[in-house]
Coordinates of all heavy atoms in Angstrom, one line a residue:
Chain B
V107 N 27.3 8.6 5.4 CA 28.3 7.5 5.4 C 29.4 7.9 6.5 O 29.9 9.0 6.4 CB 29.0 7.2 4.0 CG1 30.0 6.1 4.3 CG2 28.0 6.9 3.0
L153 N 35.0 16.0 22.4 CA 34.1 17.0 21.9 C 32.7 16.8 22.5 O 31.8 17.7 22.6 CB 34.1 17.1 20.5 CG 33.3 18.2 19.8 CD1 33.9 19.6 20.0 CD2 33.2 17.8 18.4
E207 N 6.5 55.4 22.3 CA 6.2 56.0 21.1 C 4.9 55.5 20.6 O 4.7 54.3 20.9 CB 7.4 55.7 20.0 CG 7.3 56.5 18.8 CD 8.5 56.2 17.9 OE1 9.6 55.7 18.5 OE2 8.5 56.2 16.8
V209 N 2.4 53.5 18.6 CA 2.1 52.4 17.4 C 0.8 52.3 17.3 O 0.0 51.9 18.2 CB 2.8 51.1 17.8 CG1 2.5 50.0 16.7 CG2 4.3 51.3 18.0
A237 N 26.9 31.7 22.2 CA 27.0 30.3 21.9 C 25.8 29.4 22.3 O 25.3 28.6 21.6 CB 28.2 29.7 22.3
A409 N -14.4 27.0 25.2 CA -15.8 26.6 25.8 C -15.5 25.4 26.6 O -14.9 24.5 26.3 CB -16.8 26.3 24.8
F440 N -6.2 21.4 33.0 CA -7.7 21.6 32.7 C -8.4 22.1 34.0 O -8.2 21.7 35.0 CB -8.4 20.3 32.2 CG -8.1 19.9 30.8 CD1 -6.9 19.4 30.5 CD2 -9.0 20.1 29.8 CE1 -6.6 18.9 29.1 CE2 -8.7 19.7 28.4 CZ -7.4 19.2 28.1
G446 N -22.4 16.4 40.7 CA -22.9 15.1 40.9 C -22.1 14.1 40.0 O -20.9 14.1 40.1
L491 N -26.7 -8.7 5.5 CA -26.1 -8.2 4.3 C -25.8 -6.8 4.3 O -26.5 -6.1 4.7 CB -27.1 -8.6 3.2 CG -26.5 -8.5 1.8 CD1 -25.7 -9.8 1.5 CD2 -27.8 -8.6 0.7
D505 N -10.1 -18.1 -9.0 CA -9.7 -19.6 -8.9 C -9.7 -20.2 -10.2 O -8.9 -21.0 -10.4 CB -10.6 -20.1 -7.8 CG -10.4 -19.6 -6.4 OD1 -9.4 -19.1 -6.1 OD2 -11.4 -19.8 -5.5
V506 N -10.8 -20.1 -11.0 CA -10.9 -20.8 -12.2 C -9.8 -20.4 -13.2 O -9.1 -21.2 -13.8 CB -12.4 -20.4 -12.9 CG1 -12.4 -21.0 -14.3 CG2 -13.5 -21.0 -12.1
A513 N -1.5 -16.9 -14.2 CA -1.0 -16.2 -13.0 C -1.6 -14.9 -12.9 O -1.7 -14.2 -13.8 CB 0.5 -16.0 -13.2
Y518 N -1.3 -1.5 -12.2 CA -1.7 -0.1 -11.9 C -3.1 0.3 -12.6 O -3.2 0.0 -13.8 CB -0.5 0.8 -12.3 CG 0.6 0.7 -11.4 CD1 1.9 0.5 -12.0 CD2 0.6 0.7 -10.0 CE1 3.1 0.3 -11.3 CE2 1.9 0.5 -9.3 CZ 3.1 0.4 -9.9 OH 4.1 0.3 -9.2
A519 N -3.8 1.1 -11.9 CA -5.0 1.7 -12.6 C -4.5 2.9 -13.4 O -5.2 3.3 -14.3 CB -6.0 2.0 -11.6
V530 N -3.8 0.3 -31.0 CA -4.3 0.4 -32.3 C -3.2 0.6 -33.2 O -2.3 1.4 -32.9 CB -5.3 1.6 -32.4 CG1 -5.8 1.7 -33.9 CG2 -6.6 1.3 -31.5
E540 N 0.0 15.0 -28.3 CA -0.7 15.6 -27.2 C -2.2 15.0 -27.2 O -2.8 15.1 -26.1 CB -0.7 17.1 -27.2 CG -1.6 17.8 -28.5 CD -0.6 17.9 -29.7 OE1 0.4 17.3 -29.7 OE2 -1.0 18.7 -30.6
R553 N -14.3 3.0 -37.1 CA -15.4 2.1 -36.9 C -16.0 1.7 -38.3 O -16.5 0.6 -38.4 CB -16.5 2.9 -36.1 CG -16.3 2.9 -34.7 CD -17.4 3.8 -34.0 NE -17.2 3.7 -32.5 CZ -18.1 3.0 -31.7 NH1 -18.9 2.2 -32.3 NH2 -17.9 2.9 -30.5
L569 N -13.7 -2.5 -24.8 CA -12.4 -1.9 -25.2 C -12.7 -0.4 -25.8 O -12.6 -0.2 -27.0 CB -11.8 -2.8 -26.4 CG -10.5 -2.6 -26.7 CD1 -9.4 -2.7 -25.5 CD2 -10.0 -3.6 -27.8
A608 N 11.3 -16.0 -19.7 CA 10.5 -17.3 -19.8 C 10.1 -17.3 -21.3 O 9.8 -16.4 -21.9 CB 9.3 -17.2 -18.8
G626 N -21.1 14.2 -14.8 CA -21.8 14.7 -13.6 C -21.9 13.6 -12.5 O -22.5 14.0 -11.4
G640 N 1.1 -16.0 -24.2 CA 2.3 -16.1 -25.1 C 2.2 -17.2 -26.1 O 1.3 -18.1 -26.0
S646 N 2.9 -32.4 -23.1 CA 2.9 -33.5 -22.0 C 4.1 -34.0 -21.6 O 4.4 -34.6 -20.7 CB 2.0 -34.6 -22.6 OG 2.6 -35.1 -23.8
D680 N -18.8 -15.4 -32.8 CA -18.9 -14.8 -34.1 C -17.5 -14.2 -34.5 O -16.8 -13.7 -33.6 CB -20.0 -13.8 -34.3 CG -21.3 -14.5 -34.0 OD1 -21.8 -15.3 -34.9 OD2 -22.0 -14.2 -33.0
F687 N -7.1 -6.7 -33.0 CA -6.9 -8.1 -33.2 C -6.6 -8.4 -34.6 O -6.9 -7.6 -35.6 CB -8.3 -8.8 -32.9 CG -8.5 -8.8 -31.4 CD1 -9.4 -7.8 -30.8 CD2 -8.0 -9.8 -30.6 CE1 -9.7 -7.8 -29.4 CE2 -8.3 -9.8 -29.1 CZ -9.0 -8.9 -28.7
A714 N 3.9 -5.7 -32.0 CA 5.2 -5.1 -32.1 C 5.3 -3.7 -31.4 O 6.4 -3.4 -30.9 CB 5.4 -4.8 -33.7

Side-chain angles (χ1 to χ4, degrees):
Chain B
V107 179
L153 186 70
E207 193 175 329
V209 174
F440 284 78
L491 189 70
D505 290 339
V506 168
Y518 293 130
V530 175
E540 65 272 17
R553 278 174 173 264
L569 193 55
S646 60
D680 299 290
F687 290 96

